[in-house]
């Protein structure tokens, strides 16, 4: 019999986070009181527009950007699509014949590159090392005179691997005209963000990964990077994202961004301790393989493990029966029932990539929950071990 939802321990914060109580209150108040269209010219529309302007200032302030840089979207997938397809579309007929990304990007980036490749754009997919990180020298060697765009994630959503963005930014600066996009979804609120130091032109973020609402995100566009809108319509969001602005959503997003940045250092220290506790309890397990790199090469809130010979979906459901929620890979890819593309790029080991588990911590994770998780993992893997042996 399954454990009740109320007693479940949730370790899937990389897929989605529970909204912060302050965010819920703020969004509810705005929905009740400010419902006019911010594009309307009457007084109530002006009130809504003023709130949107304030939200833009809060997001920009938290990330040391300008309010004019902030483009509100429906989430990170749209932000990433606008950054990539919008850049290539704006440069069509010019320097848009070659673009660069890594082999371990989130599907919302990776599939954009695949689509552009099918349409005739030359694409370089940078390999990664055993820690899931690109090598700066590979990036430098991949750049061509016709390169238009480089897109890299800050923190990998499956393993927590941190890309060397400072080094990448230094390389990009040596090639004026190349647009540098960073998918910052898993890094915001977990690690410091330095858009200026990294030389980033475009930066994507999502509300529901930082205890904000689903269905809202932003793309920061710095230095007037060239962009072509994906949609036709009105003049909202600097004429780059037409459509009625989601006023409650962007206000809630701005609060979530501010809270995430304010709490980042304290969360980093707490998650680092909890990560150490988890790994210390698991370190002597024979079937266990750790896929996440050590700190500081990884963000502390994600731990990726493999149990070669065991199907990750079987382990996930067995843990669920014990009241533990974990995941296999990105939620966007988990239902494909295929080995993780990220782990394959890191390890070239199909068995290891097919048995990966992602444990991602959040605000409600504490030492007691880590102990319960490790005990449950021990019980499940011991129970499944005979199945593992018989299949070999």
């Amino acid at each position: 019999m399954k454990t009740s939802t109320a007693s479940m321990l949730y370790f899937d914060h990389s897929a989605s986070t529970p909204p912060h109580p302050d965010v819920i209150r703020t969004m509810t108040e705005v929905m009740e009181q400010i419902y006019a269209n911010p594009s309307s010219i009457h007084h109530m529309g002006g009130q809504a527009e003023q709130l949107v302007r304030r939200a833009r200032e809060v997001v920009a302030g938290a990330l040391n950007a300008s309010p004019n840089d902030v483009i509100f979207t429906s989430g990170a997938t749209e932000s990433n699509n606008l950054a990539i397809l919008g850049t290539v579309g704006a440069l069509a007929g010019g320097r848009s014949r070659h673009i660069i990304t890594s082999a371990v990007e989130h599907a919302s980036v990776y599939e954009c590159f695949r689509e552009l490749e099918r349409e005739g754009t030359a694409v370089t997919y940078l390999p990664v090392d055993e820690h899931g990180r690109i090598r700066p020298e590979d990036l430098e060697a991949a750049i061509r005179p016709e390169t238009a765009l480089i897109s890299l994630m800050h923190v990998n959503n499956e393993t927590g691997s941190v890309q060397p963005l400072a080094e990448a930014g230094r390389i990009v600066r040596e090639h004026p005209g190349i647009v540098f996009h960073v998918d910052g979804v898993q890094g915001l609120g977990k690690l410091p963000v330095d858009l200026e130091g990294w030389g980033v032109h475009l930066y994507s973020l999502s509300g529901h990964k930082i205890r904000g609402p689903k269905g809202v995100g932003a793309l920061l566009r710095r230095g007037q990077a060239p962009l072509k809108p994906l949609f036709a319509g009105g003049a909202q969001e600097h004429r780059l994202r037409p459509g009625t602005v989601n006023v409650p959503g962007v206000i809630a997003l701005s609060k979530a961004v501010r809270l995430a940045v304010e709490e980042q250092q304290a969360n980093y220290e707490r998650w680092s301790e909890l990560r150490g506790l988890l790994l210390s309890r698991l370190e002597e397990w024979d079937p266990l393989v750790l896929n996440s790199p050590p700190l500081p090469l990884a963000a502390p809130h994600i731990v990726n493990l493999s149990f070669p010979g065991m199907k990750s979906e079987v382990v996930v459901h067995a843990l669920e029966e014990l009241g533990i929620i974990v995941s296999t890979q990105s939620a966007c890819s988990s239902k494909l029932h295929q080995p993780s593309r990220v782990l394959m790029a890191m390890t070239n080991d199909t068995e290891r990539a097919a048995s990966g588990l992602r444990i991602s911590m959040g605000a409600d994770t504490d030492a007691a929950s880590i102990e319960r998780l490790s005990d449950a993992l021990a019980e499940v893997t011991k129970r499944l071990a005979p199945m593992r042996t018989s299949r070999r």
Side-chain angles (χ1 to χ4, degrees):
M1 185 173 68
K2 287 190 176 182
T3 307
S4 67
T5 303
S7 61
M8 287 282 191
L9 289 182
Y10 185 72
F11 288 97
D12 198 18
H13 291 267
S14 290
S16 195
T17 56
H20 194 290
D22 290 349
V23 171
I24 294 174
R25 282 192 290 270
T26 297
M27 190 168 183
T28 301
E29 290 173 4
V30 175
M31 290 181 73
E32 290 175 341
Q33 301 173 22
I34 309 294
Y35 44 82
N37 191 320
S39 297
S40 297
I41 62 173
H42 50 65
H43 174 68
M44 291 177 66
Q47 287 182 315
E49 183 184 21
Q50 188 172 6
L51 282 182
V52 172
R53 187 182 306 118
R54 177 57 184 156
R56 217 180 295 279
E57 291 170 353
V58 170
V59 171
L63 294 169
N64 295 318
S66 164
N68 289 330
D69 295 342
V70 180
I71 305 164
F72 290 119
T73 68
S74 65
T77 292
E78 184 187 341
S79 295
N80 286 337
N81 274 252
L82 177 57
I84 297 162
L85 302 178
T87 296
V88 173
L91 298 174
R95 295 181 60 200
S96 60
R97 295 185 298 277
H98 179 240
I99 54 181
I100 300 171
T101 192
S102 84
V104 296
E105 299 298 310
H106 186 270
S108 61
V109 168
Y110 188 79
E111 293 302 328
C112 281
F113 276 77
R114 292 287 301 276
E115 179 63 27
L116 289 167
E117 187 177 27
R118 286 189 288 267
E119 293 175 357
T121 299
V123 177
T124 296
Y125 299 96
L126 298 173
V128 294
D129 62 18
E130 70 276 13
H131 296 310
R133 292 160 49 93
I134 67 160
R135 302 171 183 84
E137 58 268 28
D138 289 345
L139 173 61
E140 192 159 22
I143 293 175
R144 309 175 187 174
E146 65 271 23
T147 302
L149 171 72
I150 295 169
S151 180
L152 298 171
M153 62 190 351
H154 183 188
V155 173
N156 187 269
N157 51 296
E158 292 189 32
T159 66
S161 302
V162 179
Q163 294 299 345
L165 296 183
E167 293 92 332
R170 175 188 57 77
I171 293 167
V172 173
R173 282 193 182 92
E174 296 172 356
H175 300 271
I178 295 179
V179 175
F180 187 24
H181 166 241
V182 168
D183 174 359
V185 169
Q186 293 292 345
L188 181 60
K190 284 80 177 180
L191 297 173
V193 175
D194 185 6
L195 302 181
E196 180 66 30
W198 298 339
V200 174
H201 302 109
L202 299 167
Y203 177 85
S204 303
L205 62 92
S206 171
H208 74 108
K209 308 294 189 179
I210 52 170
R211 307 193 72 191
K214 295 177 179 64
V216 64
L219 177 67
L220 272 64
R221 176 204 190 200
R222 303 176 67 252
Q224 295 301 303
L227 275 183
K228 180 180 179 180
L230 300 184
F231 311 132
Q236 295 94 341
E237 299 306 297
H238 316 302
R239 297 184 178 274
L240 290 170
R241 205 280 180 178
T244 302
V245 176
N246 175 6
V247 180
V250 303
I251 301 303
L253 172 68
S254 69
K255 174 153 282 192
V257 169
R258 179 177 62 79
L259 291 171
V261 172
E262 288 176 355
E263 297 169 359
Q264 178 260 310
Q265 183 59 39
N267 281 335
Y268 182 91
E269 294 171 2
R270 185 169 62 86
W271 288 327
S272 296
E273 290 182 6
L274 293 173
R275 185 184 198 269
L277 173 62
L278 176 62
L279 295 182
S280 69
R281 291 174 67 94
L282 304 182
E283 63 184 356
E284 295 185 5
W285 289 13
D286 176 58
L288 171 70
V289 179
L290 178 63
N291 297 315
S292 295
L295 304 181
L297 302 182
H301 67 298
I302 298 176
V303 177
N304 192 291
L305 312 167
S306 285
F307 297 89
M310 300 183 191
K311 286 289 186 182
S312 56
E313 295 88 351
V314 175
V315 179
V316 167
H317 292 308
L319 287 170
E320 187 175 4
E321 294 290 338
L322 298 176
I324 307 289
I325 300 297
V326 300
S327 59
T328 54
Q329 46 187 295
S330 165
C332 298
S333 304
S334 60
K335 293 184 178 180
L336 297 177
H337 302 296
Q338 296 174 346
S340 162
R341 169 172 53 83
V342 171
L343 295 184
M344 283 298 296
M346 290 173 59
T347 69
N348 196 32
D349 184 330
T350 303
E351 193 171 67
R352 188 168 161 185
S355 62
L357 293 180
R358 180 181 68 178
I359 297 162
S360 49
M361 296 179 278
D364 60 350
T365 310
D366 57 16
S369 62
I370 290 292
E371 291 169 0
R372 183 175 153 192
L373 167 65
S374 60
D375 290 344
L377 278 168
E379 178 182 336
V380 165
T381 52
K382 185 182 296 184
R383 176 163 25 109
L384 296 176
M387 296 171 55
R388 170 176 174 261
T389 303
S390 65
R391 288 175 180 173
R392 289 192 163 187

